[in-house]
Every structure is written in structure tokens, then in C-alpha cells.
Amino acid sequence: MDLPDEAIRIIESMPRSKPEIFPYSTDAITANFTRTCKLLDIKDLRFHDLRHEGVSRLFEMGWNIPHVAAVSGHRSWVSLKRYTHIRETGDKYAGWHGLQLAIDTK
């Protein structure tokens, strides 16, 4: 799979006890996501919204349709295009200090 360099750096910085990058069940992910949204008083965010956000960011970074589809798992442009709402171009997270924080906390 083709991922942005920043994503690969984060993945490589994570401790690994199992072959999976995220060795959690879907139920555990759902429960923690729901709990976190409640804790932060976020009422209108679904886990699937993160996929939409990620796809939009890849298009903003200038990725083409086949490249984005390879990462997102979309099989057709028809299903992929409904997730794209390009507002700007370029990598808006270039130089983001949070990336280094994520890597430094391993």
C-alpha cells in the first residue's frame, strides 16, 4: 500500500507486539471512539467521517484518483468522488508539530 511519508513514519514509530499495525477489534475501536467523542462533547462525528477527511487531504496534496483509491480502498471513481471536497491545495500539515510529538512519544 502506498501511504504518505508522514503516515509511514508514525507507523514505524509505533511499538509492535503483533503483526497488525493496529491490533484492536472493531468493537474496541468503536467503543473507544464513542467514549472519546462523549468525553470531548463531540456530537456529530462518526468514525467513517475520518475516511472522508483522509481522502480529501490526499486530493489536496495533489494525489491523483488511482493513487488515492489505492490507499482508501475505493474500487471506482463513482464511489470515491463523493468523498472529495477539495478546499485548498498543498500539504496543510507540512511542518505540523504534532507529527514529531507522535514520533517522539514512542
Side-chain angles (χ1 to χ4, degrees), residues 13-65:
S13 74
M14 295 173 60
R16 299 289 285 271
S17 60
K18 296 184 178 181
E20 297 87 4
I21 296 170
F22 301 106
Y24 310 105
S25 70
T26 55
D27 289 342
I29 292 168
T30 299
N32 281 296
F33 185 80
T34 302
R35 189 177 307 117
T36 301
C37 285
K38 277 186 180 180
L39 177 73
L40 298 174
D41 198 30
I42 299 171
K43 297 179 181 5
D44 59 349
L45 183 65
R46 298 172 301 137
F47 189 76
H48 187 78
D49 295 337
L50 302 177
R51 183 183 195 201
H52 177 107
E53 179 69 14
V55 166
S56 297
R57 295 300 80 81
L58 294 175
F59 277 114
E60 288 174 359
M61 292 169 60
W63 287 31
N64 62 30
I65 295 165

Side-chain angles (χ1 to χ4, degrees), residues 75-99:
R75 295 186 182 148
S76 73
W77 167 234
V78 172
S79 62
L80 182 59
K81 73 178 180 179
R82 69 181 183 197
Y83 290 96
T84 60
H85 301 288
I86 300 174
R87 295 183 299 272
E88 59 186 76
T89 59
D91 183 356
K92 71 185 217 177
Y93 295 111
W96 177 55
H97 74 281
L99 176 61

